[in-house]
Amino acid sequence: MARISFRVPRLIGRSGMAAALAVLVAASPVAAASPGATGAGDPYFPLQGNGGYDVGHYGLNLRWDPATDRLDGVATIQAFATQSLSAFDLDLRRDLVVTSVSVNGERAAFTQPALLQQELVVRPRHSLAKGDTFTAVVTYGGIPPVITDPDGSIEGWVPTADGAFVVGEPQGSPAWYPCNDTPTDKAAFDVTITVPAGYTAVSNGEMRARPATRYGWTTFSWRQRQPMATYLATASVSHFVVTTGRTPGGIPWTTAVEPALTADSAPALAKLPAMVDYFTSVFGPYPFGSAGAIVMDAPAIGYALETQTKPIFPGAPDELTLAHELAHQWFGDSVTLRRWSDIWVNEGFAEWSSWMWSEASGGDSAQAFFDYYNSFDNTNDWLWRPVPADPGDAANIFNSAVYERGAMTLQALRVKVGDETFFRILRGWATQLRYGNASVEDFTSFAARVSHQDLTHFFDVWLRQPDKPTSW
Ligand code: ARG
Ligand code: ZN
């Protein structure tokens, strides 16, 4: 979503007057239109995201057939040009073949270059001026590719025994919809999915209309009003048992659980309302219009993901994993990492929060979790390395050091500054950076500011030095 809303008048008479234009260029920020960058500059994922525009809204109209795994889509993308653009990219895997693109209602030229796997290059009939809002419509279809990540795990639109498990962290979203796949370009979403009657398709946010069945196909419409990073979108499909309710604090929730998993999921899901309300009491208002969970049998995936409003689980969730994914709604989904190297601001916080849920609900205290991990000596690479402040490589972003050493960091901070100050830091962070992006450095300076303490040494030994911290 665009934070800047100033408008620059469209350049009239783009051709000719080269000399006059040269003077203009020298004297003012008005420049000739050029192509937007191919990537948004993330060192771990250089092709991810694009330059030159900011998306405000995605309208995805999808149809998926489990019998063939074919996905057909029309994506309507409303965006704001942050530079004058002769062309721009969207991220979309080439396995999904684009058949037409329009920009502002006019047919646009496009290519899906073989060398650039995930770039859809769009050249509008007329250049876009900096400050223009524009609508791009992309029609595409194919078998969504399953993406293998640098850490060996899989993501994207992943077929399961009875549907599709749809996840996009850190790079699966362009395997099912065209997007500006950078965590810094959040947008609102309307996702409409048509599946064979009997199936349920579940996406982020709230249901916008009653499901409608025609000729044996049912259409589900979902709306995510609050800003969402592209990697947090889902459109998962199965024969779900759907249950709705409200937390005692008033947050509506929806769970979608495969029938075979309802019994095993029940103990954890029964605590979902209390968890949402508890985290609200600690971190501040729940950032979205609803909460929930999606539970599927997806052993090939093997990890849960904090898909916005409805985290998704590849099997019946345990209580701590559910707490982790719900805490991500504040830390990760509302306050989102800026670059992938900043993964600690997502994972360290969600993991510590799951410890805190345990403490608050009568289980082991967060300090007991800390003490347990702290009993491992410095030779345990799995726990202490790579350092949470920058795990160094895309293959390491989900390492235990980011999660557990990362959670220990927050517990150590809690002890160092005291509960009153510590919870003020967390609540201030969640509230002041709501719907934004943040780096590790942003948090360390925020904590120092709120606590009025010099935390340089503290954060250095906990987040940046490779060895197990010994004094802080
Ligand atoms: N963010 C997820 C969590 O809550 C983990 C995602 C792992 N993704 C992956 N491609 N390995 O822990
Ligand atoms: Zn997590």
Side-chain angles (χ1 to χ4, degrees):
M1 278 191 178
R3 288 169 172 267
I4 6 174
S5 56
F6 59 85
R7 301 188 125 259
V8 176
R10 179 184 268 283
L11 251 187
I12 301 163
R14 265 164 290 112
S15 55
M17 296 257 200
L21 197 61
V23 173
L24 248 176
V25 166
S28 80
V30 177
S34 56
T38 301
D42 193 287
Y44 289 6
F45 297 96
L47 287 181
Q48 199 172 62
N50 307 285
Y53 65 95
D54 187 305
V55 177
H57 185 268
Y58 291 93
L60 306 179
N61 209 319
L62 310 172
R63 182 189 182 94
W64 183 62
D65 187 351
T68 59
D69 190 22
R70 187 179 167 87
L71 178 70
D72 284 288
V74 178
T76 303
I77 298 166
Q78 284 166 3
F80 168 91
T82 56
Q83 66 172 71
S84 34
L85 287 170
S86 57
F88 61 88
D89 285 15
L90 285 160
D91 298 310
L92 183 70
R93 293 279 174 165
R94 295 183 80 233
D95 315 62
L96 298 171
V97 176
V98 174
T99 50
S100 78
V101 179
S102 74
V103 175
N104 293 335
E106 292 187 302
R107 258 173 85 146
F110 63 89
T111 51
Q112 295 183 278
L115 271 172
L116 296 173
Q117 289 309 314
Q118 71 170 64
E119 300 298 306
L120 165 62
V121 182
V122 177
R123 184 171 290 276
R125 266 264 272 283
H126 302 285
S127 296
L128 300 160
K130 178 174 175 176
D132 277 357
T133 54
F134 63 96
T135 302
V137 179
V138 179
T139 305
Y140 62 100
I143 310 287
V146 172
I147 308 299
T148 300
D149 289 327
D151 68 0
S153 58
I154 58 170
E155 57 165 327
W157 188 288
V158 183
T160 62
D162 191 33
F165 190 97
V166 180
V167 284
E169 189 190 25
Q171 53 166 352
S173 296
W176 62 280
Y177 69 99
C179 54
N180 188 29
D181 194 30
T182 166
T184 54
D185 189 357
K186 300 189 182 189
F189 282 68
D190 277 287
V191 180
T192 299
I193 320 137
T194 300
V195 288
Y199 283 93
T200 297
V202 184
S203 188
N204 315 86
E206 296 79 54
M207 235 191 220
R208 188 158 61 94
R210 289 187 153 278
T213 302
R214 287 186 72 188
Y215 307 117
W217 292 76
T218 306
T219 299
F220 295 85
S221 302
W222 295 89
R223 171 168 287 176
Q224 173 62 65
R225 297 167 186 273
Q226 294 82 18
M228 178 166 77
T230 50
Y231 77 89
L232 296 168
T234 189
S236 295
V237 180
S238 189
H239 285 93
F240 288 119
V241 176
V242 177
T243 311
T244 60
R246 252 175 211 277
T247 71
I251 309 294
W253 56 262
T254 299
T255 58
V257 182
E258 287 187 341
L261 295 170
T262 51
D264 286 352
S265 302
L269 292 183
K271 305 203 169 162
L272 183 147
M275 288 179 184
V276 170
D277 285 355
Y278 169 68
F279 287 139
T280 298
S281 75
V282 185
F283 306 143
Y286 184 73
F288 307 118
S290 61
I294 303 169
V295 179
M296 298 180 69
D297 181 27
I301 296 270
Y303 61 83
L305 181 66
E306 62 269 25
T307 35
Q308 192 156 305
T309 69
K310 293 179 200 69
I312 186 165
F313 301 85
D318 60 60
E319 192 177 323
L320 286 189
T321 307
L322 180 62
H324 175 110
E325 305 306 338
L326 293 177
H328 265 310
Q329 303 305 308
W330 285 262
F331 306 117
D333 295 14
S334 172
V335 184
T336 306
L337 46 64
R338 181 170 296 284
R339 285 174 296 272
W340 287 106
S341 53
D342 293 314
I343 187 73
W344 175 71
V345 307
N346 286 19
E347 299 303 346
F349 285 57
E351 188 64 0
W352 175 84
S353 302
S354 73
W355 299 357
M356 194 60 216
W357 164 257
S358 168
E359 175 173 327
S361 61
D364 290 336
S365 66
Q367 188 59 37
F369 282 89
F370 179 100
D371 293 341
Y372 167 74
Y373 286 108
N374 205 37
S375 70
F376 291 92
D377 70 23
N378 189 39
T379 62
N380 288 274
D381 287 342
W382 65 273
L383 175 60
W384 302 112
R385 287 167 288 276
V387 296
D390 181 348
D393 185 288
N396 297 337
I397 56 181
F398 302 114
N399 276 21
S400 303
V402 173
Y403 283 63
E404 314 305 347
R405 176 177 174 169
M408 292 174 78
T409 304
L410 290 175
Q411 180 59 23
L413 179 65
R414 179 184 174 193
V415 172
K416 185 173 178 72
V417 301
D419 273 16
E420 198 273 320
T421 301
F422 177 75
F423 287 105
R424 204 147 39 79
I425 293 170
L426 280 195
R427 200 185 175 95
W429 180 249
T431 310
Q432 291 178 37
L433 283 102
R434 175 180 266 230
Y435 308 140
N437 294 90
S439 65
V440 171
E441 172 64 32
D442 289 334
F443 182 79
T444 58
S445 34
F446 186 85
R449 214 160 50 238
V450 175
S451 66
H452 302 290
Q453 290 193 31
D454 181 356
L455 298 171
T456 314
H457 173 73
F458 176 88
F459 283 122
D460 185 51
V461 296
W462 272 105
L463 295 176
R464 300 198 166 86
Q465 294 302 324
D467 286 326
K468 174 179 177 178
T470 50
S471 70
W472 56 90

